[in-house]
């Protein structure tokens, strides 16, 4: 990096940073809204992931920053807490509740509730809106090839509602079969057994559908480890 800096080849310097950066812990003491946060800072070059600045004071200093989204920073603070020393920009971010609420369609909310649960639905919709604003290079760098991967990395885990529905249908099926014995006096054994068999087949087929639809088809896309 020093070699490319001395040659003035800042583009290659950023490529080296991207190659060797392991995406370690975020230092909130040196995290700012803008890379040019000091008087006299000059932005030399930036891309979707990094920014390089130069300040001629104090003999000339260079600073290389990695870019993070606001929601990534909030999640990091939520998981690791706020250290004693942080930048003023981070203090403001921590005090703010959230970014401006995106316009979310009711259909998306209902879909999110079914996949992620009532408490996580709106957060999932916000993450999806933010995912749309990320550049392709940022997505590739972070490994966010799909919305589901982005949501998974931001601690949104789908709920296996298909399994809940499947279990509920099986329970109903069992209770209905038990209840069919009360039809014996009215329909006789033949009618009661026929009714129970028909009801069992309908509910069993429905439970299999939900099992396949949500557990074997939907769930692996979000959390293959729980398949």
């Amino acid at each position: 990096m020093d070699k490319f800096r001395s040659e003035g080849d800042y583009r290659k310097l950023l490529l080296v940073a991207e190659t060797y950066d392991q995406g370690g812990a975020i230092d909130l003491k040196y995290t700012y809204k803008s890379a040019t946060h000091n008087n006299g800072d000059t932005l030399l070059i930036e891309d979707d992931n990094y920014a390089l600045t130069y300040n001629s004071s104090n003999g000339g200093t260079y600073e290389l920053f990695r870019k993070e989204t606001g929601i990534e920073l909030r999640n990091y603070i939520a998981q690791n807490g706020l250290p004693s020393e942080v930048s003023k920009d981070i203090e403001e971010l921590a005090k703010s509740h959230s970014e401006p609420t995106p316009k979310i369609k009711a259909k998306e909310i209902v879909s999110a509730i079914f996949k992620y649960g009532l408490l996580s639905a709106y957060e999932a919709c916000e993450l999806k809106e933010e995912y749309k604003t990320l550049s392709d290079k940022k997505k590739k760098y972070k490994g966010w090839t799909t919305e589901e991967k982005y949501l998974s990395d931001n601690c949104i885990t789908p709920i296996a509602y298909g399994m809940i529905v499947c279990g509920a249908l099986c329970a109903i099926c069992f209770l209905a079969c038990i209840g069919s014995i009360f039809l014996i006096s009215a329909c006789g054994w033949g009618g009661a057994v026929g009714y129970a068999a028909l009801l069992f087949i309908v509910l069993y087929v429905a439970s299999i559908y939900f099992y396949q639809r949500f557990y074997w088809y939907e769930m692996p896309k979000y959390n293959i480890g729980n398949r």
Side-chain angles (χ1 to χ4, degrees):
M1 295 176 76
D2 285 337
K3 175 179 180 293
F4 291 130
R5 176 188 57 79
S6 61
E7 294 175 354
D9 195 344
Y10 303 132
R11 179 64 60 185
K12 287 186 178 179
L13 190 150
L14 295 188
L15 291 175
V16 171
E18 182 175 350
T19 301
Y20 289 96
D21 182 16
Q22 299 298 315
I26 302 173
D27 193 338
L28 299 179
K29 184 179 179 180
Y30 302 105
T31 303
Y32 312 94
K33 284 184 178 180
S34 171
T36 55
H37 58 95
N38 294 317
N39 292 330
D41 279 345
T42 300
L43 182 64
L44 298 178
I45 191 174
E46 70 172 330
D47 59 15
D48 293 332
N49 303 309
Y50 299 96
L52 180 67
T53 64
Y54 174 74
N55 194 308
S56 58
S57 61
N58 298 324
T61 56
Y62 292 84
E63 284 187 304
L64 177 63
F65 294 94
R66 183 178 69 220
K67 297 181 180 180
E68 304 286 351
T69 65
I71 198 163
E72 287 173 337
L73 291 172
R74 288 199 299 272
N75 287 339
Y76 183 84
I77 293 172
Q79 293 174 11
N80 301 281
L82 203 63
S84 57
E85 294 186 50
V86 298
S87 68
K88 291 184 178 180
D89 293 333
I90 289 298
E91 287 181 355
E92 294 177 1
L93 180 69
K95 290 178 182 178
S96 64
H97 295 289
S98 63
E99 296 178 352
T101 303
K103 294 181 180 179
I104 303 173
K105 297 179 180 178
K107 182 179 179 180
E108 294 176 344
I109 290 289
V110 173
S111 177
I113 289 175
F114 195 75
K115 288 183 179 179
Y116 305 103
L118 183 62
L119 298 179
S120 302
Y122 201 82
E123 183 182 358
C125 291
E126 286 185 323
L127 287 172
K128 287 184 177 182
E129 291 297 321
E130 181 158 332
Y131 178 81
K132 296 175 183 178
T133 66
L134 300 177
S135 65
D136 292 338
K137 190 172 183 179
K138 179 76 171 181
K139 295 174 184 177
K140 182 178 180 181
Y141 173 70
K142 292 288 189 176
W144 296 326
T145 53
T146 62
E147 281 186 350
E148 288 76 15
K149 180 63 176 175
Y150 181 61
L151 267 62
S152 176
D153 286 353
N154 284 275
C155 305
I156 299 293
T157 304
I159 297 176
Y161 278 119
M163 291 301 296
I164 297 175
V165 174
C166 175
L169 288 174
C170 288
I172 293 173
C173 179
F174 175 76
L175 293 176
C177 290
I178 295 298
S180 65
I181 62 175
F182 294 103
L183 295 175
I184 295 176
S185 59
C187 305
W189 280 99
V193 171
Y195 165 79
L198 180 61
L199 187 61
F200 179 85
I201 291 172
V202 171
L203 293 178
Y204 181 76
V205 169
S207 67
I208 292 299
Y209 167 78
F210 277 98
Y211 181 84
Q212 293 178 338
R213 177 68 177 83
F214 295 100
Y215 191 66
W216 288 103
Y217 176 67
E218 292 287 350
M219 287 303 294
K221 295 193 299 184
Y222 304 106
N223 194 348
I224 193 69
N226 288 338
R227 180 173 179 182

